Amino acid sequence: MPRWGMTIDLDRCSGCQACVVACKQENNVPFATAEDLDAGRGIYWMQVLARVEGEWPHVRMETMPMPCLHCDDPPCTKVCPVDATHKDSEGLVQQSSARCIGTRYCAQNCPYTVRFFNWKKPEFPGAFANYRSPEVAIRPKGVMEKCTLCAHRVKDAQDRAHREGRRALRDGEVTPACAEVCPGRAITFGDLDDPGARVSELARSPRAFRFLEELGTAPKVFHLRETRHGDG
Amino acid sequence: MARVAALALALAGCGAPADAEQPIPFNHAVHVVERKMACVECHEGVLTQAWAGMPSTDDCLRCHAFAFTGNARALEAGKKAAGPDRDPWVRLYAIAPHAQVSHAAHVKAGVVCEKCHGDTGKSVVARRELMLEGEGLMYWCMDCHAERKASLDCVTCHR
Amino acid sequence: MKPPDVPLTALTRREFLQATGAAAGAIGLAAFPGCKPEWFGDGERVPSGPESWYFATCTFCPSLCGTRVRVVNGNAVAVRGNPAHPKNAGALCPRGVAGLQHLYDLDRVMQPAVRRAKDAPLERVSWDEALDLVARKLEELTPALVIDGSRGLDADLARRFAGAVGGHYLSTVYTGARYAWDYERTRYAMFFGHEFLEDAPDLMDSLRAFAQLRGRAKLVMVGSRFGVSAQKADEFVAVRPASEGALARAIGGRMEIDDAATATGLPTATIERLKREFTASAPQVAIGWRLLPDAQEALLWLNQVAGTFGKSGGLSVALPPPFGQWEEQPQPAARPLPAAAAVLVGALRPAHPPAGFVVALSPTLDDAASSANVVLPTTTWLEQEAVHVPVAAGRQVVAYSHPAKELRRVADARPAGQVLIDIAQRMKDARRHFAWPSYHLALRERLVGVHDAQRGSIKEELFTPFMEKLAAAGVWTDERVTNLATYAAEPAPWRAPAGEGLTLLTHATTTLGEGEGANLPWMQELAGWQHHIGWDTWIEVHPKHGFASGDIVEVASARGNVRARVVATEAIHPEAVAMPRGGGRTAGRWAKGRGADVAALLEDPGPTRVTLRRA
Amino acid sequence: MATADHAALVAPLTSTGRGQKLLVAALLCVLAWGAYGYVTQLRDGLQVTGLSRPVYWGMYIINLIFFIGVSYGGTLASAVLRLVGAEWRRPITRAAEATTVCALIVGGPQPLIDLGRLDRAGTILLHPSFSSPMLWDIVAISTYLVVSVAYFWLALIPDAAWLRDARVGGRLRRGLYTVLAAGFTGTDAQRRRLHVALGIVAVAVIPIAVSAHTVLSWVPGLSLVPMWHSALFGPYFVLGAVFSGLATIIVALAIVRRAYGLHDYLRPEHFAKLGLMLLALSTVWSYFTFAEHLTAFYGKIPDELVIAHERVYGRFAKLFLAMALACGVCPLLLGFRRIRTVAGTVAVSLLVLAGMWVERFLILVPSEVSPRLPHEAARYAPTWVEWSELCASLAAFTLLFIGMTKLFPIISRWEVDEAASAHPKGCEKR
């Protein structure tokens, strides 16, 4: 059984937002209107957070691409009163929009704030309805949703491999939408339990770290620290 | 009364009607039992795709243009009734929008069509064989998945 | 919610009421009479069906990335990069992905429209009527001005059209020398005033170069704004605004280091070190963007001194591909003439809308089209058969795209080139220069040349199999490298730019670009992601000026003034302010009135000095 | 059996004044307005609230904690005082128990208002996940409600029997009294059994009440959110609940005293005693509040410090100051005998109630607006829908309480009589 994970190389991320848009498109996440943004209700399964510190000219800017980190010990799943969110057999933290009753407790307990609530019915006005993807269901209002690490792509690839008589996927055979479009190739997806997989190689690198590791959530999405020319 | 129930379920977003008057009076039995046609000949996606696919009237005409002129006229009438850009069939099988079933994956796993679609192939007027809805249907699916050691992860079907 | 598939007409009212009641009961809504089940929908799913993929070239920016478009049930449902394309190798920038919102733009022009009187509304007419009218008017009202925002074959045809009608031709897209940067082998890259990760003449090159050079080359960003490019560079050199030219001269040995230190505000030791590093790290490049002309000159010269032109790891000028030549190119008028009519091609926004009779060839009702006398709907890049020439170092590339036949038409639109042919053929004199019966054949003539060259990635004896292979691959490339050395004159001595006040720095964003993304909601919402701002234009101001984040200020230059939302940040030089481009459109339901158009402030050649006042 | 002495207790059951009718009408209007707001929310979704990411919980959860807190009055005043045998409690137990039941009926369903999918609320019963503190909470609060109702009913039995025998009200009401009286005729055996039962339930209701609020505090307390994740939360919530519950009783008693002319039963010394208890609880509350913030400020764990700072000096400073004055300082005035009058204690109680609502707000919201990772500046301002639900909840509580006073004597007659027969002096009238 694979244990899916991801690495995001901050050295290769330019904050261009391609992953954010590709994710929205792939997963039928509606765009945020100005009012949504103003109220803090945009939905971004993948987003790039930024923080600026220091004084001119000694400034530092952190850019953090932040999908759901798919914790190995997810704090969100255990607080759900109806088991609408759970870690599945391949390690992905999934959210069932059909089971969810909308208590938003999981969102409260997610230290990364990467769970999103449908404050209203998702809207695809006019001809925008045409570009909705058939792969992913559009969630109704009143339920939570979040990054699935493109589990639908994984499942489709597994079905395909099965049809071809293979039991497991090859490394790199399946990529989430964010990784697919990334101009810097900053995002790597794969099986963390496969020691030869590119993703586990990167996750073992000394540059790898996990956000808020001190909370013991054990994310399966690793970030790789930035370096500068001439560093080690 | 069955119709009332079906419509109630449809209105509640629970599913499609169990049977309906089709624009074209298609007879499964003639094709499948008498002519020994395979399901995949008309439902072309079942072996390779998630969707099964419904034949267009053009697909029908590939055979009917030569042989059965009477039926070809019925086809034309049906096509006209359905209007352009719409396939001329009333769907009988529908599951909740948050669930997806891959036909190809099931066929590959050796699930025969009859497991879910019953005797549709032998019917004169097609009707839905599977009367389960909502969670009832889900547990029926899950029983079979458990039996066959298929994945029981929610995301297998709910995506 | 999905409507029931049961024919409702066949039901008795009693049955219907029973059913509705049962449905309401089933949902447990009894307590709320009158509630419709939509209140508690279960979501939706678009039915899947047969899918097909086709290639398209994104024309939102000069990078011209190769995309693959996925079609299901006649709808385009995804835009992805073409992995076999040498430009982007499967990657895309956010604008490319958002092409879907361009294709299904709610402001698409659905059919030709004419404005009968000055302030009358646009009126739908047939293609024939519109084309006849345009041809007649253009023959009456000479000379005509052709303002072109298109790329590729459409642009070639627009230029030809201008020549055929004896008018002047003006392109609003970047048409300067297209330097190809052989970034894979560069060891030292200096970016002058160049937000290379947000705003570049070739954004895809820039984004990919940065990732590939990380750790292998040193990237130095010289500028007065600390954006994401400054953070991601290996070194950020903070200079006074508009003084990049001085640093370039000093590194090139054309200016005393002490003088440059005064001009830029840098310690002399830093300049000395940069000079040492730059000279010692061949192959090196110095790239500038949004600079004053004198700084741009100095950079060209700096590259020449360093010998980067035509060298591996340096810059080169791309050679045109072996296109078949169209016979006899009529030349447009060299100088702008007092025009009585204007033809606008493609998505563009002229700073001054032309006077007189205006014809707009546009896929959407954008700023220019919405005030035109005649609007002729053209296809978007996702719907058009097209040939493009992306610039890639060390390669010649011809990208061919052709929409899948399964893609359902969105509008009664034609390729801009086709519309120009259609107009020209209705004009007495212009007709002879547009002898092709269709755009497709004009395009084919070009590709015949590529076929005849019998080289590169596709070689076929006959043209038809060549076209088939090209359509299947989406791209023809040839490894043949033809680098041209270029010559730059020694720059004039540095002169401090005139003017007082805060220097306005502008940059495009990866989302809005120069405004291409303005009517795409995905781009609007992400425009100011680093400041959590969307759907608005902001101005980055150093806190010492006393403005707080969120304040609305009026920004005034000698040319005009606009309003913007303040972002008080330490990440900007105290003598500078920075604003994004691409806002303040006047048409388009998502773009109209969103933010401000900084183009209204910019002085030519600059620098633009502005004052801020709380609004 | 009814005596002329207790005419004042029966009067509210049989006649209703004009002012009261108007009040009920007004409250019904507020309730209807709340229902309208709620229907709006069902139709348009929770976008009609001021909630957002990351402020996922707001007004409704604050109201939940607030009303469950208010419900503590009954438990404390009645059960505790009954167990320790405080004789002065006798006239106040019934009103206190009534507030408990009313507050639980109003407070318990608050999460349903907050729910994104009301239509799926039944899922909690079909697919419960007992790893969620929210489920423990549902169990704890429903148990608390059941036990509170049982307790209220047990203490009501002799009075119900009295009303049954006195043939008060129409057929329906008499039927109700007959059922509630459960065949009680006042024999010694019955009285003995009643006392035993009351004793048992009074003992049981205290830990159940404590557990209800502790478990409620665990809903935020067991999460990873800084300043919520605190062992202090259980006792802090319980203490705050007792505090606000007591204030509720004081206000409720003062109102029935005035509205129904019960000055003979509820005398100023009752209010003075309750006022002193309020003062005592206020000091404990201040101690908890101090301890909580000292830990944050001294420990300087960045995540917590940010929130504590926001609360005390930042965006919430004004609210914090108001809360500290209302809950920590004003009750101290009750140390003065001159303030410890009926009016004085009621004024302080009202302040305490408002302050405790603000305290719930300050416990929840500042933690939510300061997420660990740099998100957009979050803020929370309740919308008209949320305020409407608060008003409607308060109206519902008041209506329920008025209903109680119209159905049952709001002074426990038998307990008062019992005292009068046991200690004739203790209950004599002026």
Side-chain angles (χ1 to χ4, degrees):
Chain A
M1 204 63 92
R3 196 170 66 99
W4 301 114
M6 184 185 258
T7 56
I8 301 176
D9 190 344
L10 299 179
D11 248 358
R12 290 173 151 261
C13 168
S14 57
C16 76
Q17 309 292 306
C19 51
V20 181
V21 181
C23 172
K24 288 202 137 197
Q25 180 269 311
E26 175 82 17
N27 293 299
N28 287 328
V29 177
F31 66 85
T33 63
E35 294 71 36
D36 291 340
L37 279 193
D38 198 43
R41 292 184 186 149
I43 299 180
Y44 304 96
W45 292 13
M46 174 60 147
Q47 59 189 327
V48 188
L49 304 177
R51 174 161 46 200
V52 175
E53 284 160 355
E55 279 178 27
W56 182 266
H58 308 290
V59 190
R60 225 186 99 71
M61 181 178 181
E62 268 181 279
T63 51
M64 298 161 261
M66 195 66 65
C68 167
L69 302 190
H70 292 271
C71 306
D72 243 358
D73 189 1
C76 55
T77 56
K78 61 185 177 196
V79 299
C80 177
V82 293
D83 267 340
T85 182
H86 55 275
K87 197 174 87 174
D88 75 13
S89 63
E90 299 182 356
L92 300 176
V93 178
Q94 299 297 6
Q95 172 76 29
S96 164
S97 70
R99 174 67 63 82
C100 178
I101 60 171
T103 65
R104 310 187 291 293
Y105 198 177
C106 56
Q108 290 288 21
N109 214 22
C110 171
Y112 306 98
T113 338
V114 290
R115 293 182 144 269
F116 299 85
F117 185 69
N118 282 283
W119 303 100
K120 62 177 185 186
K121 185 175 188 277
E123 282 164 12
F124 294 85
F128 282 3
N130 291 334
Y131 68 63
R132 294 174 303 172
S133 161
E135 258 55 65
V136 179
I138 298 158
R139 283 72 54 190
K141 80 170 184 223
V143 302
M144 298 301 303
E145 60 180 67
K146 63 180 280 294
C147 160
T148 63
L149 275 190
C150 281
H152 60 283
R153 287 184 171 213
V154 176
K155 291 290 171 192
D156 281 347
Q158 283 170 338
D159 279 354
R160 237 182 352 258
H162 189 223
R163 279 207 297 282
E164 290 165 11
R166 284 182 288 134
R167 304 192 75 195
L169 296 177
R170 288 185 288 262
D171 187 34
E173 187 172 346
V174 56
T175 45
C178 53
E180 189 181 6
V181 297
C182 178
R185 294 282 170 256
I187 306 175
T188 310
F189 174 83
D191 180 3
L192 289 171
D193 277 354
D194 171 5
R198 177 103 185 99
V199 71
S200 23
E201 230 169 80
L202 289 168
R204 286 193 301 265
S205 117
R207 285 168 56 215
F209 73 101
R210 300 187 281 188
F211 276 101
L212 305 179
E213 193 148 20
E214 66 276 15
L215 298 178
T217 49
K220 287 195 290 292
V221 174
F222 294 75
H223 287 74
L224 304 181
R225 208 168 262 113
E226 276 182 56
T227 55
R228 286 295 170 265
H229 190 70
D231 288 4
Chain B
M1 201 56 219
R3 239 169 74 174
V4 173
L7 182 57
L9 287 169
L11 279 176
C14 296
D19 64 353
E21 198 177 319
Q22 298 284 355
I24 299 167
F26 179 82
N27 184 335
H28 271 96
V30 167
H31 293 79
V32 181
V33 181
E34 286 182 27
R35 303 270 158 189
K36 302 270 182 287
M37 286 174 71
C39 304
V40 68
E41 288 185 52
C42 297
H43 302 289
E44 56 183 60
V46 285
L47 294 185
T48 53
Q49 304 292 338
W51 43 271
M54 298 291 256
S56 69
T57 45
D58 290 346
D59 293 336
C60 302
L61 285 169
R62 277 208 298 270
C63 298
H64 283 273
F66 306 108
F68 314 105
T69 45
N71 287 357
R73 268 201 295 280
L75 276 176
E76 284 303 329
K79 192 174 181 178
K80 213 170 267 173
D85 293 345
R86 276 194 55 194
D87 73 45
W89 310 107
V90 175
R91 306 272 166 146
L92 300 177
Y93 286 88
I95 49 172
H98 44 73
Q100 195 181 37
V101 173
S102 167
H103 280 88
H106 284 82
V107 172
K108 173 70 194 176
V111 181
V112 293
C113 305
E114 287 77 14
K115 176 82 183 176
C116 307
H117 296 285
D119 285 341
T120 300
K122 295 177 191 153
S123 66
V124 175
V125 176
R127 54 173 289 114
R128 187 179 50 209
E129 300 285 338
L130 200 66
M131 285 313 288
L132 292 169
E133 290 287 357
E135 284 203 15
L137 175 60
M138 183 176 87
Y139 289 120
W140 185 77
C141 295
M142 285 171 68
D143 285 347
C144 190
H145 271 233
E147 218 171 89
R148 290 166 174 270
K149 308 235 175 334
S151 170
L152 285 168
D153 288 341
C154 302
V155 76
T156 309
C157 308
H158 298 286
R159 28 174 128 158
Chain C
M1 198 195 101
K2 199 174 129 306
D5 284 338
V6 181
L8 282 173
T9 46
L11 283 172
T12 65
R13 182 147 83 152
R14 192 184 163 75
E15 274 182 324
F16 181 77
L17 290 177
Q18 282 174 342
T20 317
I27 297 174
L29 274 182
F32 297 97
C35 271
K36 280 177 293 177
E38 281 93 335
W39 290 26
F40 299 124
D42 258 348
E44 280 177 86
R45 180 187 289 277
V46 180
S48 62
E51 68 174 340
S52 46
W53 290 85
Y54 68 88
F55 294 116
T57 303
C58 171
T59 60
F60 277 148
C61 87
S63 290
L64 298 171
C65 295
T67 70
R68 291 185 314 144
V69 184
R70 180 176 185 225
V71 182
V72 176
N73 293 327
N75 294 321
V77 296
V79 179
R80 296 282 180 261
N82 174 6
H85 200 287
K87 188 79 198 174
N88 53 318
L92 273 186
C93 85
R95 255 175 291 161
V97 181
L100 288 175
Q101 290 189 332
H102 183 48
L103 172 65
Y104 294 116
D105 197 318
L106 273 57
D107 297 307
R108 282 295 296 268
V109 187
M110 292 302 175
Q111 71 185 70
V114 167
R115 202 185 302 279
R116 306 269 182 205
K118 192 163 174 289
D119 289 319
L122 282 167
E123 207 177 290
R124 293 183 166 201
V125 294
S126 71
W127 268 105
D128 277 335
E129 191 182 333
L131 292 170
D132 283 338
L133 175 75
V134 172
R136 203 179 66 238
K137 284 282 189 184
L138 290 183
E139 280 182 331
E140 265 171 38
L141 307 166
T142 51
L145 170 64
V146 177
I147 306 179
D148 180 22
S150 67
R151 303 176 205 275
L153 201 57
D154 286 341
D156 293 348
L157 287 165
R159 191 180 169 81
R160 188 179 181 85
F161 186 83
V165 300
H168 178 61
Y169 174 81
L170 185 75
S171 176
T172 60
V173 301
Y174 182 72
T175 51
R178 297 287 305 280
Y179 294 105
W181 173 21
D182 183 20
Y183 52 77
E184 283 172 27
R185 282 172 273 272
T186 304
R187 278 188 56 215
Y188 199 91
M190 281 186 95
F191 301 97
F192 285 82
H194 180 6
E195 305 281 350
F196 60 101
L197 297 180
E198 295 184 77
D199 179 15
D202 197 328
L203 186 65
M204 186 48 71
D205 267 7
S206 224
L207 295 177
R208 294 186 66 211
F210 144 75
Q212 293 188 18
L213 288 181
R214 210 55 209 266
R216 295 205 273 140
K218 184 165 179 182
L219 306 177
V220 180
M221 156 101 192
V222 179
S224 313
R225 169 181 181 256
F226 193 98
V228 65
S229 313
Q231 167 63 31
K232 295 290 176 172
D234 292 298
E235 184 180 350
F236 174 60
V237 180
V239 296
R240 295 185 55 203
S243 68
E244 290 91 351
L247 184 62
R249 282 174 174 80
I251 290 175
R254 184 79 182 86
M255 185 169 173
E256 289 301 320
I257 288 188
D258 287 341
D259 297 344
T262 318
T264 57
L266 288 173
T268 48
T270 304
I271 302 182
E272 270 162 9
R273 176 175 57 80
L274 288 171
K275 182 175 176 177
R276 209 166 48 238
E277 284 179 6
F278 184 79
T279 357
S281 321
Q284 67 281 69
V285 292
I287 305 177
W289 186 237
R290 309 263 180 232
L291 291 179
L292 301 178
D294 96 285
Q296 203 68 53
E297 257 172 54
L299 279 185
L300 271 183
W301 183 75
L302 177 58
N303 279 312
Q304 174 164 305
V305 174
T308 62
F309 285 117
K311 207 160 66 182
S312 163
L315 302 173
S316 59
V317 177
L319 274 189
F323 274 152
Q325 289 305 305
W326 294 331
E327 57 184 84
E328 190 220 347
Q329 173 80 24
Q331 287 305 312
R335 259 191 300 269
L337 306 161
V343 180
L344 315 181
V345 184
L348 58 110
R349 186 172 183 281
H352 301 288
F357 181 78
V358 178
V359 187
L361 280 61
S362 172
T364 62
L365 211 58
D366 58 11
D367 296 18
S370 58
S371 60
N373 298 71
V374 180
V375 185
L376 301 174
T378 57
T379 47
T380 60
W381 56 263
L382 291 112
E383 306 160 284
Q384 183 171 345
E385 185 188 17
V387 168
H388 286 284
V389 187
V391 174
R395 303 220 184 156
Q396 278 182 323
V397 185
V398 174
Y400 173 72
S401 47
H402 194 290
K405 61 179 189 311
E406 290 86 358
L407 181 68
R408 199 183 306 124
R409 281 167 70 90
V410 178
D412 185 12
R414 302 176 180 181
Q418 178 69 56
V419 178
L420 291 169
I421 293 174
D422 290 341
I423 298 172
Q425 285 185 346
R426 282 156 208 259
M427 295 174 71
K428 218 163 57 238
D429 297 330
R431 189 181 298 150
R432 62 197 166 86
H433 299 297
F434 287 83
W436 309 284
S438 75
Y439 167 80
H440 172 72
L441 289 174
L443 180 145
R444 194 187 145 101
E445 261 184 43
R446 286 261 137 130
L447 291 177
V448 164
V450 183
H451 164 259
D452 291 349
Q454 288 295 325
R455 59 179 171 91
S457 59
I458 303 173
K459 277 183 284 199
E460 284 291 333
E461 208 164 312
L462 296 174
F463 184 68
T464 312
F466 171 82
M467 275 305 288
E468 278 165 8
K469 282 204 169 171
L470 180 60
V475 67
W476 171 94
T477 62
D478 191 2
E479 293 292 336
R480 185 178 300 194
V481 185
T482 319
N483 282 329
L484 276 191
T486 188
Y487 174 74
E490 191 168 314
W494 158 260
R495 277 213 327 267
E500 281 185 8
L502 297 165
T503 306
L504 174 65
L505 311 174
T506 70
H507 57 92
T509 55
T510 57
T511 46
L512 294 182
E514 290 279 2
E516 296 88 353
N519 208 33
L520 314 179
W522 278 332
M523 301 294 93
Q524 283 284 3
E525 64 170 304
L526 294 168
W529 61 275
Q530 67 275 57
H531 303 307
H532 306 295
I533 292 176
W535 300 88
D536 204 356
T537 296
W538 67 94
I539 179 164
E540 290 164 19
V541 187
H542 193 273
K544 80 162 200 180
H545 299 295
F547 298 102
S549 289
D551 287 355
I552 305 294
V553 288
E554 196 159 277
V555 188
S557 78
R559 273 198 53 216
N561 57 69
V562 300
R563 284 182 174 210
R565 200 195 303 189
V566 168
V567 172
T569 172
E570 288 282 350
I572 181 92
H573 195 287
E575 294 168 23
V577 292
M579 291 176 80
R581 302 164 77 99
R585 308 287 107 166
T586 58
R589 80 190 56 198
W590 309 112
K592 188 177 176 180
R594 293 292 176 190
D597 185 10
V598 293
L601 298 175
L602 294 179
E603 288 170 54
D604 194 24
T608 306
R609 313 286 194 179
V610 294
T611 52
L612 306 185
R613 199 166 54 80
R614 209 170 253 108
Chain D
M1 198 171 153
T3 60
D5 289 352
H6 292 308
L9 294 188
V10 190
L13 306 190
T14 50
S15 66
T16 305
R18 210 179 118 98
Q20 204 170 33
K21 278 183 186 154
L22 281 175
L23 176 67
V24 169
L27 290 173
L28 283 174
C29 287
V30 175
L31 208 58
W33 179 255
Y36 169 69
Y38 185 54
V39 170
T40 310
Q41 180 180 305
L42 281 181
R43 187 188 62 212
D44 298 341
L46 282 158
Q47 60 169 325
V48 300
T49 65
L51 298 171
S52 65
R53 183 177 70 113
V55 189
Y56 287 103
W57 289 343
M59 179 70 85
Y60 306 141
I61 302 296
I62 295 168
N63 290 353
L64 165 71
I65 304 174
F66 177 73
F67 277 106
I68 302 296
V70 160
S71 77
Y72 263 50
T75 323
L76 173 95
S78 170
V80 175
L81 294 179
R82 183 171 273 144
L83 285 178
V84 299
E87 283 302 315
W88 62 270
R89 72 164 205 270
R90 290 178 182 273
I92 67 173
T93 51
R94 174 71 41 78
E97 287 152 23
T99 60
T100 298
V101 173
C102 297
L104 282 178
I105 291 173
V106 173
Q110 290 289 335
L112 290 178
I113 304 179
D114 186 66
L115 216 54
R117 296 297 299 241
L118 180 70
D119 57 316
R120 295 181 183 170
T123 312
I124 291 196
L125 304 175
L126 293 174
H127 306 284
S129 162
F130 281 95
S131 63
S132 170
M134 201 169 272
L135 217 77
W136 315 345
D137 189 38
I138 292 167
V139 172
I141 290 183
S142 42
T143 311
Y144 181 32
L145 176 64
V146 169
V147 175
S148 298
V149 169
Y151 183 53
F152 178 76
W153 170 64
L154 280 176
L156 183 68
I157 288 176
D159 283 2
W162 163 53
L163 292 169
R164 175 197 62 199
D165 299 341
R167 307 183 71 77
V168 172
R171 271 236 317 265
L172 219 61
R173 278 234 316 235
R174 284 208 301 277
L176 177 70
Y177 295 140
T178 310
V179 170
L180 289 179
F184 186 85
T185 49
T187 63
D188 278 354
Q190 279 178 332
R191 280 184 185 278
R192 238 190 346 269
R193 259 180 278 154
L194 180 68
H195 274 287
V196 172
L198 267 173
I200 291 172
V201 180
V203 169
V205 78
I206 294 170
I208 287 172
V210 169
S211 76
H213 225 68
T214 307
V215 171
L216 182 58
S217 85
W218 285 346
V219 170
L222 294 186
S223 73
L224 283 176
V225 180
M227 291 299 276
W228 287 6
H229 187 79
S230 150
L232 190 64
F233 252 39
Y236 193 30
F237 268 50
V238 170
L239 185 270
V242 175
F243 191 32
S244 59
L246 194 64
T248 313
I249 299 180
I250 294 176
V251 176
L253 287 176
I255 290 172
V256 293
R257 176 176 188 261
R258 195 187 162 111
Y260 299 138
L262 301 176
H263 303 79
D264 292 344
Y265 297 88
L266 302 166
R267 292 190 303 275
E269 62 255 37
H270 286 115
F271 288 89
K273 284 211 169 73
L274 290 170
L276 273 180
M277 285 174 73
L278 201 64
L279 165 62
L281 286 170
S282 154
T283 56
V284 185
W285 177 87
S286 302
Y287 161 72
F288 272 126
T289 307
F290 173 73
E292 192 198 10
H293 289 90
L294 179 71
T295 317
F297 280 111
Y298 197 88
K300 286 197 172 169
I301 295 175
D303 293 341
E304 296 195 340
L305 190 63
V306 167
I307 293 157
H309 199 272
E310 277 284 13
R311 230 189 249 171
V312 181
Y313 302 110
R315 279 189 275 172
F316 301 97
K318 278 184 190 147
L319 275 178
F320 186 84
L321 187 67
M323 170 193 82
L325 286 176
C327 299
V329 179
C330 289
L332 297 181
L333 296 176
L334 294 172
F336 299 104
R337 201 178 297 269
R338 281 204 0 241
I339 309 279
R340 226 155 46 222
T341 59
V342 177
T345 48
V346 168
V348 170
S349 297
L350 284 172
L351 279 175
V352 166
L353 279 174
M356 284 310 290
W357 190 89
V358 172
E359 191 234 36
R360 281 28 171 137
F361 183 93
L362 288 177
I363 282 179
L364 275 190
V365 177
S367 286
E368 293 181 280
V369 299
S370 317
R372 287 191 170 91
L373 296 176
H375 289 279
E376 57 265 60
R379 52 178 195 267
Y380 176 60
T383 60
W384 69 268
V385 176
E386 292 169 285
W387 288 119
S388 304
E389 296 318 308
L390 173 61
C391 295
S393 300
L394 291 170
F397 174 76
T398 317
L399 273 172
L400 280 174
F401 188 73
I402 291 177
M404 290 281 201
T405 65
K406 305 306 289 180
L407 275 178
F408 312 113
I410 202 62
I411 306 282
S412 181
R413 175 186 166 276
W414 70 274
E415 285 195 76
V416 173
D417 279 354
E418 202 176 61
S421 53
H423 318 273
K425 266 196 213 151
C427 204
E428 72 187 6
K429 279 162 264 160
R430 268 176 301 171

